[in-house]
Amino acid sequence: RILNTGDELVRKIYPIYMNPLPSGFLDFRAHFYAPKKHFAGSYFDTLYFNITIIWLMSIALTLTLYFDVMRKLVTGFGK
């Protein structure tokens, strides 16, 4: 159930109840089924964090298509 790896103890059973341990200020990586995500010094509920990221990426990609950024990049590199 608990693994001793040198200087720390690692829980191997029921990991879904653990909170993620961030490695930096902007680190939002978390283990599978994490209840919270750490970002910018705060913890956010995983569901709302993921939905927000999906919406932000959708808006960014929509703007990229609307302003035809890919064509401008390709023609800019071709010159």
Side-chain angles (χ1 to χ4, degrees):
R1 292 178 181 251
I2 297 176
L3 180 65
N4 186 358
T5 59
D7 59 342
E8 68 179 345
L9 298 174
V10 179
R11 182 168 44 175
K12 288 302 208 178
I13 191 165
Y14 305 126
I16 61 172
Y17 301 114
M18 294 172 39
N19 288 326
L21 299 172
S23 63
F25 183 70
L26 295 177
D27 183 27
F28 58 88
R29 292 179 295 163
H31 58 279
F32 196 58
Y33 284 129
K36 300 178 193 174
K37 288 198 184 235
H38 180 271
F39 183 71
S42 302
Y43 282 97
F44 299 98
D45 187 43
T46 300
L47 174 68
Y48 300 120
F49 184 84
N50 290 346
I51 289 173
T52 303
I53 295 298
I54 289 171
W55 272 102
L56 290 175
M57 290 180 72
S58 298
I59 291 168
L61 290 172
T62 302
L63 291 174
T64 302
L65 287 172
Y66 181 77
F67 291 112
D68 209 9
V69 173
M70 291 303 292
R71 182 182 57 84
K72 293 176 184 176
L73 282 174
V74 169
T75 57
F77 284 128
K79 291 183 180 180

